[in-house]
Amino acid sequence: MNNENLDKILESIDLSSQPPLEEPARQYYFLKKCRVFVSEEEKRLGRKLTACVTTFGCQMNARDSEKLSGILEQAGYQLTDSEEADFDIYNTCTVRDNADQRVYGRLGHLNGLKKKNPHMKIALCGCMMQEPGTIEKIRKSYRFVDLIFGTHNIYKFAELLASSWEQQGMIVDIWQNTDKIVEDLPVERKYSFKSGINIMFGCNNFCSYCIVPYVRGRERSRSPKDIIKEIENLVADGVVEIMLLGQNVNSFGKNLEEPMSFAGLLREVEKIDGLQRIRFMTSHPKDLSDELIEVMAASSKICRHLHLPLQSGSTRILQAMNRRYTKEQYLELVDKIRIAMPDIALTTDIIVGFPGETPEDVDETIDVIKKVQFDNAFTFIYSKRTGTPAAAMENQVSEEVVKEGFDRVLRTVQETARERVRLLSGLTMEVLVEERNDQDSTLVTGRLSNNTLVHFPGDASLIGRIVPVYLKEYKGFYFLGEMAGGEG
Ligand code: 5AD
Ligand code: SF4
């Protein structure tokens, strides 16, 4: 929905009547209420109110933050990157313990800011809020927080924001699950030319180490019609690259009234005129179909990149992780993908230190890394998440053994990725320019179809354009290039 349409809808709402029960009309009603509160406060203070949204974690959270930003902006706040704002919200992650610790650490800093500006409101939302224990801890030790909500009711943000203007004290609203998907709420995109799009929410896989199914709930797919409509609107608004988001996109559509496969959805998305690049995240190897490989190979828009989390190369550990594939099945899948698309970049996630993992299991992981030659791999130390089956396993691995395995895996990943990505040196390839380089303002930064980063001389007018770039020098995980065709 564009801003003019939303303004029209809000104008027609009568705040003296009861709030509607149906969505999204109910949220529009509360959004209008927020506008009134914000503008009254602006008059009182004689200045604009500001809001800062801080995102922890994955692409799903980044997209949720764009939705939070959309509501805040429509409520009348000016968005800022500075935490010295009138409204601060942390959209949290809890996939590993260090994500939790970072939030607690930064909350102390927010408390200091709130002492200087007592009108400041502090809100917390996202995955960490869905974990049992978190709310008690915040109630006890972080009493300055004004508003807490979870992953299932984020669509109610306008309503919760209005409540925080009306009520004193901490507001807490956490749901255990939902089957609701609310469409047509405002979104404020971080980039004008690219956007994430949720295609499904939740996860049913229950990998034994993972907290996500507990904090994000069961799998729910959006209707293909709504997804296509959203992408068409984005393209009309200047978006050229989209990323379809879900914890396990390969099981998209299974629970729809009229089932549609993920590959089927991609075929439809491909038809949208003006859209140039399609990405998606994340694929579970056990669900990656031959149909998907065929659709990708035949496509001119789907990027030559697949993120295919391995987690471990040891079949024994994979079984304990409840991943439901073996080392051999993963390698066969990679072969099939590489035969269909020799130029595809493969990236992965690896966990080291899962309960019971021995140095021999790590050898198996290293063997897979060497065989596959990933273009990049995110390597994580296993983090015990309370409530998951793995947390109750007795054979937790000692810190020294984990560290030794982690260092070996990291070294192998870096060596193999360097060799693989270097192969593109000397080629001229298309780059979607994303931003000015933060370190050197004479350079711009963009990505190849295969997701590799490229920096090259250019100015801000290139941002959002797809241009040919000569990949001159490989610097380890990124290229320095030169625009081809004499323009740069
Ligand atoms: N410990 C370490 N890494 C984890 N991941 C998920 N849960 C855990 C955990 N408990 C990693 C997986 C997943 C990525 C998003 O985070 O590798 O693919
Ligand atoms: Fe977690 Fe496994 Fe679901 Fe990914 S597929 S979100 S690792 S449970």
Side-chain angles (χ1 to χ4, degrees), residues 203 205-207 209-210 212-213 247 284 323:
C203 180
N205 285 319
F206 289 95
C207 300
Y209 51 80
C210 186
V212 169
Q247 304 296 346
H284 195 304
R323 291 290 289 176

Side-chain angles (χ1 to χ4, degrees), residues 10 18 82 144 168 188 198 231 235 238 297 301 317 319-320 323 422 446 463 488:
L10 295 196
Q18 286 298 309
S82 161
F144 53 88
Q168 293 294 313
E188 178 60 27
N198 299 105
I231 301 173
V235 171
K301 295 185 181 175
I317 294 295
Q319 199 174 11
R323 291 290 289 176
R422 192 198 298 279
I463 293 172

Side-chain angles (χ1 to χ4, degrees), residues 240-243 266 270 276-280 296-297 299-307 341 343-345 432 447-451 466:
V240 292
E241 177 179 296
I242 55 150
M243 182 179 280
L266 281 173
E270 171 108 21
Q276 302 197 45
R277 283 183 169 185
I278 305 167
R279 299 187 183 279
F280 54 86
M296 284 185 82
S299 167
S300 58
K301 295 185 181 175
I302 302 174
C303 288
R304 286 293 187 255
H305 173 216
L306 199 55
H307 185 67
M341 292 167 282
D343 58 343
I344 198 158
L432 170 58
R447 282 175 195 276
L448 300 178
S449 164
N450 80 7
N451 214 33
I466 295 179

